[in-house]
Amino acid sequence: MIEAWNAADVRAAEAPLLEAGEPLMERASFALAMQVLADLRARRRHLRGARVVLLVGAGNNGGDALHAGGVLARRGLAVTAVLVSERAHTGGLAALRSAGGRVVELFADPARTAAVAADAASADVVLDGMVGIGARGALRGPAADLVTALTDARGGRRGSGARVVAVDLPSGIGADDGTVDGPVLPADRTVTFGAAKPGLLLPPAAHLVGELTVVDIGLSLEGAPALRRLEAVDVGRAWPVPGPTDQKYSRGVVGLVAGTSTYPGAAVLSASAAVRAGAGMVRYRGPGAVGHAVLAARPEVVAAPGRVQSWVVGPGVPPSDEDDGQHGRGGGGLAAARGDLGGMSQGATPAVVDAGGLSLLEPPCPPWFVLTPHAGELETLLRRHGEDVHRRDVEAAPLRWARRAHELTGATVLLKGGVTVVVGPSGAYAQADAPAWLSTAGAGDVLAGLLGAMLAARSAEVVERPGLAAEIAAAAALVHGRAAERANPGGPVAALDVADALPATVASLVAQA
Ligand SMILES: NC(=O)C1=CN([C@@H]2O[C@H](COP(=O)(O)OP(=O)(O)OC[C@H]3O[C@@H](n4cnc5c(N)ncnc54)[C@H](OP(=O)(O)O)[C@@H]3O)[C@@H](O)[C@H]2O)[C@@H](O)CC1
Ligand SMILES: Nc1ncnc2c1ncn2[C@@H]1O[C@H](COP(=O)(O)OP(=O)(O)O)[C@@H](O)[C@H]1O
Ligand SMILES: [K+]
């Protein structure tokens, strides 16, 4: 698991060590330099003569870059520091100069910005050390102009020309929330110190981070992290592998309220995913014609009422204010869903509430209800609760708005997207496991069925431990993304292919753990 800590927590953890004279910056910058050397070795035979350009701001982030530059210059690399501010870390500057590095005072001669950017773009490595966790707002002044010019000089493409390594974080992102309010130089790698910061894992900034390296500089961080990211081993270890005394009911029964005759496919996809993810049983409730389609695709599904350990409500059910043109407002699926959801809030059965089911919610909901909106559906849900918010706001600050939806409803919220953000009562997760190929119709229905099966397997525990639903939801996002990759590595996937890849995906996660 990757744990991410807010800037204030990192500073608080640094303070006693700095007071005790621990050389934190030397540790950080040495590890940074070693990472740069390792990356360079992977790309060229000889290090001597490789060109490194440091973009250096006024604070300690610039200090890190300068000290790392000193280490690299001593190894024979040609290092140039570009100062974007009148002030620069004194010790770092001295270290670089004494190692033979050059210094360009860009702040004193902004007309040189384009030329400096062109030179940096043609270097082997650019270290972005303009601002770190001390930034206030979007990049401004010469730093902002340099990033704009350098982005132009690189043709806007990451991976072309100089390799960009961000120092602690890409300068200008919101360290705690991943917001991007101005120009930011996309990194190929980010070397972060002490702990990951939430902004490195959250969109939109997460897309500018490249490969992430966390350097241990000896901090002891107290309390709970601000954000977590599950890794394959976490999910494999926690997977409910059946034992010799298990039977279908102990493995969990998923009750599926999904599909209308306009959208029967969603029910088929959710049912397939739940069956393929290892549910003990899947019961279908909904219009008869849809039930036939579900049974034709998955004969394992049971269409009779009975015990249920988790509900999946809403895939393929239109929102309550949308007429599906057949049975009045939403048809039989909606009626069933409305009745079932009302009863479920009173009971103690986990539920996944997706698509049209979201419009039926009547908060407060228990935390073992997991809502699975995409950004557009979250906008609708939040507006219904009086928030003046648009989809673009949700996309610009997904953690903030997913958290708001959790506060307003009491439910656990899984916000779908390129990075899936989950917020529950014990914390938040950000999962980035899926190829962009997964953005295809029906993929969300597969996620709903998969998550339903995962909740059913640990139904009683999910109700007892309020934070568990969020952990399981994050795990479902990981499995979903990995199944998409496994279904067709590097190419397009259809939603049903993702469901079909679940058994092998789960087997490999369990085997690796
Ligand atoms: N303490 C330690 O030993 C360790 C610290 N570590 C490192 O220190 C970093 C934090 O350093 P920090 O606190 O000095 O702040 P930092 O991120 O360099 O930025 C502040 C400077 O930037 C400027 N500035 C601000 N906003 C701006 C903007 N929007 N646009 C443009 N400029 C802006 C502002 O200048 P001003 O505008 O006030 O003149 C101010 O001087 C951390 O990320 C990590 O890399 C590690 O080495 C571990 C050990
Ligand atoms: N750019 C992307 N990269 C990776 N995964 C994505 C991306 N965009 C969307 N997804 C994932 O694809 C799925 C789409 O779900 P959803 O929008 O509900 O589609 P549908 O309603 O058609 O099933 C979600 O799991 C989401 O996290
Ligand atoms: K930086």
Side-chain angles (χ1 to χ4, degrees):
M1 177 154 38
I2 301 176
E3 295 187 331
W5 301 78
N6 284 338
D9 296 323
V10 172
R11 282 196 193 284
E14 279 173 0
L17 301 184
L18 291 171
E19 236 166 77
E22 298 249 0
L24 297 190
M25 185 175 283
E26 285 69 13
R27 249 176 235 166
S29 55
F30 187 76
L32 170 62
M34 291 305 113
Q35 182 65 64
V36 169
L37 289 176
D39 286 351
L40 270 174
R41 276 194 199 102
R43 287 180 4 138
R44 45 184 284 158
R45 279 183 62 190
H46 302 292
L47 295 181
R48 183 159 283 282
R51 274 203 310 126
V52 178
V53 173
L54 320 173
L55 314 182
V56 177
N60 289 327
N61 193 248
D64 288 337
L66 288 164
H67 275 290
V71 174
L72 296 171
R74 287 198 190 284
R75 306 270 169 137
L77 281 69
V79 182
T80 303
V82 176
L83 309 188
V84 296
S85 167
E86 277 168 51
R87 287 187 295 120
H89 191 271
T90 320
L93 209 48
L96 179 73
R97 284 202 162 110
S98 74
R102 280 178 60 223
V103 175
V104 173
E105 296 186 338
L106 181 65
F107 65 87
D109 191 2
R112 290 178 64 192
T113 301
V116 166
D119 182 60
S122 67
D124 292 285
V125 180
V126 171
L127 283 192
D128 167 7
M130 289 177 287
V131 288
I133 60 173
R136 289 181 313 277
L139 275 188
R140 54 176 188 268
D145 297 340
L146 180 58
V147 167
T148 305
L150 187 45
T151 306
D152 284 353
R154 301 177 86 213
R157 274 167 294 128
R158 194 165 17 196
S160 63
R163 185 172 167 79
V164 175
V165 179
V167 181
D168 209 19
L169 38 87
S171 296
I173 70 162
D176 292 348
D177 60 10
T179 49
V180 176
D181 295 330
V184 174
L185 189 60
D188 297 293
R189 182 186 292 285
T190 295
V191 179
T192 199
F193 307 123
K197 319 299 180 294
L200 299 173
L201 308 183
L202 287 167
H207 305 303
L208 303 168
V209 166
E211 288 177 74
L212 180 62
T213 308
V214 182
V215 173
D216 181 0
I217 55 169
L219 307 187
S220 2
L221 287 142
E222 310 270 318
L227 189 73
R228 299 178 172 92
R229 174 171 290 174
L230 298 181
E231 296 178 294
V233 64
D234 306 308
V235 177
R237 270 191 205 134
W239 194 266
V241 177
T245 60
D246 270 306
Q247 28 86 357
K248 62 193 176 201
Y249 295 110
S250 65
R251 294 192 55 206
V253 181
V254 177
L256 178 62
V257 185
T260 56
S261 37
T262 309
Y263 306 110
V268 172
L269 289 164
S270 294
S272 299
V275 168
R276 294 296 235 160
M281 185 192 289
V282 178
R283 289 186 195 282
Y284 178 71
R285 273 184 60 98
V290 182
H292 291 311
V294 170
L295 277 155
R298 294 302 338 174
E300 303 88 346
V301 173
V302 174
R307 206 172 131 200
V308 161
Q309 278 118 323
S310 89
W311 289 100
V312 175
V313 182
V317 176
S320 56
D321 55 357
E322 190 182 299
D323 191 331
D324 79 346
Q326 296 180 66
H327 305 285
R329 290 160 64 81
L334 182 58
R338 176 177 284 128
D340 287 340
L341 259 183
M344 283 172 217
S345 304
Q346 316 305 320
T349 307
V352 180
V353 185
D354 187 45
L358 295 167
S359 69
L360 307 174
L361 276 182
E362 282 174 19
C365 304
W368 55 84
F369 273 27
V370 184
L371 318 186
T372 56
H374 52 60
E377 290 164 337
L378 192 66
E379 172 196 299
T380 308
L381 188 147
L382 288 163
R383 291 183 81 79
R384 227 181 16 255
H385 285 86
E387 294 289 338
D388 183 17
V389 60
H390 293 278
R391 181 185 185 127
R392 62 176 179 276
D393 305 316
V394 172
E395 286 165 347
L399 177 61
R400 172 181 171 195
W401 291 111
R403 180 169 286 142
R404 186 69 190 129
H406 164 66
E407 288 163 0
L408 289 167
T409 61
T412 296
V413 176
L414 178 153
L415 172 58
K416 292 181 279 198
V419 174
T420 291
V421 174
V422 183
V423 180
S426 311
Y429 297 79
Q431 296 298 138
D433 310 283
W437 298 105
L438 182 57
S439 52
T440 179
D445 307 322
V446 170
L447 176 68
L450 161 67
L451 175 54
M454 292 173 74
L455 291 170
R458 300 176 69 185
S459 182
E461 216 185 328
V462 167
V463 170
E464 270 159 34
R465 283 175 50 200
L468 183 57
E471 185 186 321
I472 292 177
L478 180 144
V479 176
H480 190 228
R482 295 212 159 210
E485 183 62 29
R486 179 174 282 264
N488 186 26
V493 285
L496 194 55
D497 297 343
V498 178
D500 287 343
L502 288 172
T505 304
V506 171
S508 100
L509 288 167
V510 169
Q512 282 167 33

